[in-house]
Amino acid sequence: ARDLDAVHRALELDPRTTATMGHSMGGLVSIRFHQLFEDRAAAAALTSPLLGIRVAIPWWKLSLGHVVRWSQPTYRFETEVCESDTTRSVEVLERRMNDPLMHRFVTAGWFFAVRDAVRSAWREAEEVKLPILGLQADEDYIVDPTVVEPWIERTGSLDWRYVGFPGQYHELYNEPEWRESMGLMADWLEERVPAQRSGPKSALAGRESRGSARRGTIEPLGGGESARRADHVGEKAPAS
């Protein structure tokens, strides 16, 4: 989070025209960034953020990690994440398997630092006050898909939205239906961080009505698969 703040300051970004987008661990970094540094952006979009770990970690690996995290924090363990759980796209999986820069190891220090950050993200949820969009793959076997909406509800944001995507895996942007989720994100961000477009508006624009939406409202959008996804819009009333 502090590294992200350093980039923000180095580039002299204008918070009024800046938004953050974080996926998985990047979502956790974005969350901690906004908890530690207020008024740095106009909105935050999160896709399958790391707010809970679903991957099963063997007890012996956790025990050994506890031992070496202090004495040898760079000790590496092979990840328990299965590549086939990241996306249903065969093309993406093939490219990843042939990518020489991909590795399957994490350090003990990294794992426990991430776990501490997740706890802080929950403990300081109310510190996040900017508009939040949460997009979560319902068939997520890497992060816990059931905790994202409850976390968003605990934030101090007066403008939040949560959308779950049934049948989709962790990396929404790599799923066969990526245009749907990414188009929704683009339209949501455009409403809060206007930018001059060089092309036509997304085909998803205008497909939904949110003016009368209340917190906890479930709105099925579109047809087919889209009609079965949970779309919760939150508009908290300011405390009197």
Side-chain angles (χ1 to χ4, degrees), residues 49 93 106 111 213:
L93 290 174
V106 299
F111 175 81

Side-chain angles (χ1 to χ4, degrees), residues 162-224:
Y162 171 85
V163 184
F165 294 85
Q168 297 195 36
Y169 284 13
H170 183 62
E171 296 178 352
L172 289 172
Y173 55 88
N174 276 331
E175 284 292 85
E177 306 87 350
W178 68 270
R179 288 180 177 82
E180 181 181 26
S181 57
M182 296 302 102
L184 190 155
M185 179 192 297
D187 291 342
W188 185 87
L189 286 171
E190 177 66 15
E191 293 179 8
R192 290 154 182 80
V193 192
Q196 184 175 354
R197 292 177 178 267
S198 58
K201 287 180 69 64
S202 166
L204 290 173
R207 288 177 55 189
E208 57 197 279
S209 172
R210 303 190 307 172
S212 61
R214 296 172 297 173
R215 180 175 179 178
T217 299
I218 299 177
E219 300 178 352
L221 302 183

